Amino acid sequence: MVDIIENIIKKDGVTVYVVYPTRKETAINYLEKLGVKTICLPFYKLNKNGRKGMWKYIIKKIMSPFLFFKLRQIVKREKISIIYSNTIVIDYGFILSKMTKFPHIWHIREFGKEDHGIVLRGGEKALYRKLNESKGIIYISKAIKEKYSPHIKRNSSRSNL
């Protein structure tokens, strides 16, 4: 993701905004030095940390509608024109694109169940529906593309990158 952001900023002069759940173990400081606008929102993500992790998940999930409202306000105020998700595990970018009617690009970096043991929210059918409703998909590898592309309908309004 960082190399994509660097190229977009340098070549196209685009202002990039990054939303992230926590500052720890991230490239946020580096991105801020590049001029990236950063937004920290403690959104929920799939978690495998037992009972303690489950309570955090529930609290963050309850807060999600408020976070979406805040994100929608930021997107409209800052005149953001495209939404990009760097993972399929968290579908906030997709939901935000539906709320704002702005195009959404998925960057698929993981298999899900096969590499992280993660069952995606809503299951694979829901994921394929979301992928098909997005403007474009970037696959990180041929293996990832081979897994997901058979479920992607080809049409003129979408592109596989």
Side-chain angles (χ1 to χ4, degrees):
M1 173 187 77
V2 173
D3 56 337
I4 292 171
I5 291 172
E6 286 175 334
N7 286 327
I8 289 173
I9 291 171
K10 290 176 185 174
K11 291 180 183 175
D12 302 323
V14 172
T15 302
V16 175
Y17 291 77
V18 174
V19 179
Y20 58 94
T22 179
R23 286 193 81 88
K24 66 181 179 180
E25 299 178 20
T26 66
I28 297 305
N29 291 335
Y30 178 74
L31 292 173
E32 287 174 339
K33 287 177 187 173
L34 291 175
V36 171
K37 310 276 184 178
T38 59
I39 303 161
C40 182
L41 292 174
F43 52 82
Y44 79 91
K45 59 186 182 209
L46 297 176
N47 196 326
K48 299 187 289 185
N49 293 337
R51 196 174 297 273
K52 181 180 176 186
M54 181 57 82
W55 283 111
K56 280 183 167 180
Y57 171 84
I58 291 168
I59 291 166
K60 289 179 179 181
K61 187 169 181 169
I62 291 168
M63 298 207 33
S64 291
F66 302 104
L67 299 178
F68 279 123
F69 179 74
K70 183 174 182 175
L71 274 175
R72 186 178 68 190
Q73 286 180 311
I74 292 168
V75 166
K76 290 188 176 208
R77 181 184 67 232
E78 300 297 326
K79 299 180 178 139
I80 294 170
S81 57
I82 192 163
I83 299 169
Y84 164 90
S85 293
N86 193 41
T87 180
I88 58 168
V89 176
I90 300 169
D91 60 358
Y92 272 36
F94 174 80
I95 295 167
L96 186 61
S97 77
K98 289 298 180 187
M99 292 173 69
T100 60
K101 309 286 189 237
F102 293 135
H104 179 256
I105 305 291
W106 286 97
H107 192 162
I108 304 179
R109 311 179 67 78
E110 60 275 304
F111 289 98
K113 186 172 36 177
E114 296 88 343
D115 54 2
H116 297 295
I118 294 172
V119 177
L120 302 171
R121 188 163 47 112
E124 288 189 0
K125 285 185 181 182
L127 172 64
Y128 300 144
R129 179 188 54 77
K130 293 171 190 175
L131 291 172
N132 279 295
E133 290 180 27
S134 293
K135 182 70 174 166
I137 301 169
I138 300 169
Y139 301 96
I140 197 168
S141 70
K142 286 182 183 179
I144 296 279
K145 185 174 184 175
E146 287 174 9
K147 175 182 177 170
Y148 290 101
S149 63
H151 304 283
I152 307 304
K153 296 176 183 137
R154 310 281 183 237
N155 68 40
S156 59
S157 68
R158 292 195 57 267
S159 63
N160 287 315
L161 310 169

